[in-house]
Amino acid sequence: RAAGLVRQLLTFSRPQQCRPKVVDLAAVVTDLSAILRRLLGAVHVDVELPDVPARVLADRGHLEQVVMNLAVNARDAMPGGGRLKLSVGWAFNPAVGPGRLVRLSVTDTGCGMTPEVQARIFDPFFTTKGPDKGTGLGLAVVHGIVKQAGGAIAVASEVGVGTTFHIDLPPTDQPPSGIR
């Protein structure tokens, strides 16, 4: 646990060594879906992917960390089970830039968040989890990774209904890198 906490602190406190490559975000989600189904237990995982590659210039390990952090938070918001939907598609977001963007959406049927909690979720060390359950760094790290990749992250949540995170990243037309 201590090593994991130190790793999160270092990730948050200094920019991670980023090795951006052309990555198909749909392939990242596909590869993680089997692991997530085992990891999340009573949570049913749905995956929705585009028919064409959704390529971005980013560090694959960082993208995996974003998906895992959001999925684990979703699981924690659904202690009795529920549904998690991971979808990759396209969106327009002037905060990131003109034109079509690659969008990763992570939606859960969990307890949802109040507006007061939503306003603080990306603050370092802010957590609604009990002692020994969370460090409050997961979403701060996710936010940093998305910003480092030139993207934007937004959340929509309703208490008793669930939460959706939208991550918008600039697409690339470059051919895929040799290593996934």
Side-chain angles (χ1 to χ4, degrees), residues 11-12 69 73 121-126 136-146:
T11 297
F12 174 74
N69 274 340
N73 280 353
I121 59 172
F122 299 118
D123 292 350
F125 305 108
F126 175 76
L137 289 173
L139 288 177
V141 169
V142 165
H143 185 265
I145 289 170
V146 171

Side-chain angles (χ1 to χ4, degrees), residues 90-116:
W90 308 98
F92 294 91
N93 183 340
V96 178
R100 193 167 79 152
L101 301 165
V102 175
R103 174 171 277 182
L104 167 66
S105 297
V106 180
T107 303
D108 68 58
T109 57
C111 59
M113 294 180 274
T114 65
E116 295 78 24

Side-chain angles (χ1 to χ4, degrees), residues 8-161:
Q8 280 189 313
L9 284 168
L10 290 173
T11 297
F12 174 74
S13 66
R14 68 172 190 237
Q16 284 192 317
Q17 210 174 22
C18 187
R19 293 183 187 90
K21 295 186 170 147
V22 177
V23 178
D24 181 358
L25 188 54
V28 171
V29 170
T30 298
D31 292 349
L32 286 176
S33 63
I35 295 166
L36 289 174
R37 285 185 176 99
R38 288 191 300 271
L39 176 72
L40 302 181
V43 175
H44 179 78
V45 179
D46 294 316
V47 176
E48 186 177 286
L49 304 171
D51 294 333
V52 295
R55 292 187 189 119
V56 296
L57 186 60
D59 184 297
R60 182 182 176 93
H62 290 180
L63 293 176
E64 290 171 346
Q65 186 175 5
V66 165
V67 174
M68 292 296 285
N69 274 340
L70 293 175
V72 168
N73 280 353
R75 178 202 62 198
D76 293 348
M78 301 181 286
R83 295 186 86 77
L84 175 69
K85 181 178 179 184
L86 304 170
S87 60
V88 177
W90 308 98
F92 294 91
N93 183 340
V96 178
R100 193 167 79 152
L101 301 165
V102 175
R103 174 171 277 182
L104 167 66
S105 297
V106 180
T107 303
D108 68 58
T109 57
C111 59
M113 294 180 274
T114 65
E116 295 78 24
V117 169
Q118 287 181 58
R120 299 197 54 208
I121 59 172
F122 299 118
D123 292 350
F125 305 108
F126 175 76
T127 183
T128 59
K129 298 175 185 178
D132 299 329
K133 296 286 183 188
T135 61
L137 289 173
L139 288 177
V141 169
V142 165
H143 185 265
I145 289 170
V146 171
K147 290 295 183 188
Q148 188 176 30
I153 184 169
V155 63
S157 187
E158 187 176 338
V159 174
V161 176

